[in-house]
Amino acid sequence: PLNVQVRHRHAIATRRETMSDLDIERIPALEAASNGAYDLDENLMLLKLYQFFPEKANAPVIARVLAKALMQLPGNDFLLYMYLIPERVATEAPVLPVVELSARLESCQFQAFWADLVTSRELVSCAPGFDDAIRKYILGIVALTYQIIDLKYLGEILNVSEASALDKYTNQIGKREGDKVRVTLSDDNQAKVKELDDVSDSRTNDLAKAIRAMNRVI
């Protein structure tokens, strides 16, 4: 998406690193930091250093960074990282399974995501609260797209079978009505009728914003 590319180019491609920033000696400390509290900027710098010193690239650390990035959805952290990861690394274990998990989420194949996670559980063990973060993301998607959703289906896409646990999640997006969940109405999950002029104006404004953004980073 254009907005992701603009943000990436602004944050990475146009960044003016100094020689001290790109000091190979920083890699161990950044790798250790990636195992603690999540920090977007430090992770970006680590991946940038891997680009400059590919012989130092540590695939398990990259997988760890990506796993934690999935917890930031719907933020663009994962995509920002992927711009900095060589294809040869992204297409091999242990990074590839995390990339595949991301693809499942991006395409809303939530049941398949949980099924794949069973065999990739060790890869996300470094990310406490991973499951809850993903469920929060899925609930956000449901709240944006549904007015009424089948309770059983909601449990499947959240990977939650216990009734009391499922009730906790249904209460976050609406209220249960028998075997259905009525999602709280919002501007996003209701159909809108736009006048033709409004649509044209919106597209024109979006194009103008994109051009201005691109001009700032070129």
Side-chain angles (χ1 to χ4, degrees):
L2 180 59
N3 65 320
V4 175
Q5 294 179 26
V6 169
R7 182 183 173 191
H8 165 69
R9 292 181 63 183
H10 178 72
I12 305 300
T14 65
R15 181 171 178 168
R16 302 294 188 262
E17 292 92 348
T18 65
M19 290 307 296
S20 60
D21 287 330
L22 298 176
D23 185 356
I24 194 173
E25 300 300 327
R26 297 186 63 193
I27 290 179
L30 288 170
E31 288 178 338
S34 72
N35 200 33
Y38 181 81
D39 189 305
L40 173 63
D41 290 334
E42 288 193 350
N43 290 335
L44 287 172
M45 177 53 68
L46 175 61
L47 296 179
K48 190 71 171 179
L49 283 166
Y50 283 162
Q51 278 194 327
F52 277 82
F53 307 102
E55 73 279 4
K56 293 292 184 178
N58 187 321
V61 170
I62 294 174
R64 180 169 68 213
V65 168
L66 290 178
K68 290 187 175 182
L70 289 180
M71 297 175 66
Q72 314 308 313
L73 289 169
N76 293 325
D77 299 34
F78 192 94
L79 290 176
L80 289 173
Y81 294 150
M82 288 301 296
Y83 279 112
L84 297 173
I85 299 173
E87 184 178 358
R88 62 176 178 78
V89 176
T91 54
E92 297 179 356
V95 175
L96 178 59
V98 185
V99 174
E100 292 174 339
L101 288 175
S102 173
R104 295 293 196 189
L105 292 174
E106 184 179 356
S107 57
C108 295
Q109 299 178 40
F110 299 130
Q111 296 104 313
F113 166 84
W114 295 112
D116 290 349
L117 185 60
V118 172
T119 57
S120 302
R121 178 59 67 178
E122 185 177 351
L123 295 174
V124 302
S125 61
C126 60
F130 182 85
D131 287 20
D132 283 342
I134 299 301
R135 290 186 180 112
K136 181 179 179 181
Y137 168 68
I138 295 173
L139 283 173
I141 298 295
V142 171
L144 288 174
T145 53
Y146 285 87
Q147 292 185 358
I148 297 177
I149 185 171
D150 184 79
L151 181 65
K152 180 181 178 182
Y153 176 67
L154 180 63
E156 291 175 355
I157 64 177
L158 293 176
N159 195 36
V160 174
S161 57
E162 185 181 352
S164 60
L166 188 54
D167 284 342
K168 179 185 73 172
Y169 291 109
T170 59
N171 291 336
Q172 294 180 29
I173 59 172
K175 61 180 181 180
R176 179 175 175 177
E177 296 181 353
D179 61 352
K180 306 289 183 182
V181 177
R182 183 171 296 277
V183 180
T184 302
L185 294 179
S186 67
D187 290 339
D188 295 304
N189 62 11
Q190 296 184 75
K192 302 181 185 69
V193 178
K194 281 193 174 183
E195 297 292 337
L196 183 59
D197 289 344
D198 292 339
V199 174
S200 178
D201 289 344
S202 176
R203 290 176 178 172
T204 301
N205 290 336
D206 289 344
L207 179 59
K209 289 178 181 177
I211 292 174
R212 287 196 297 272
M214 294 298 291
N215 284 337
R216 285 198 296 269
V217 298
I218 291 175

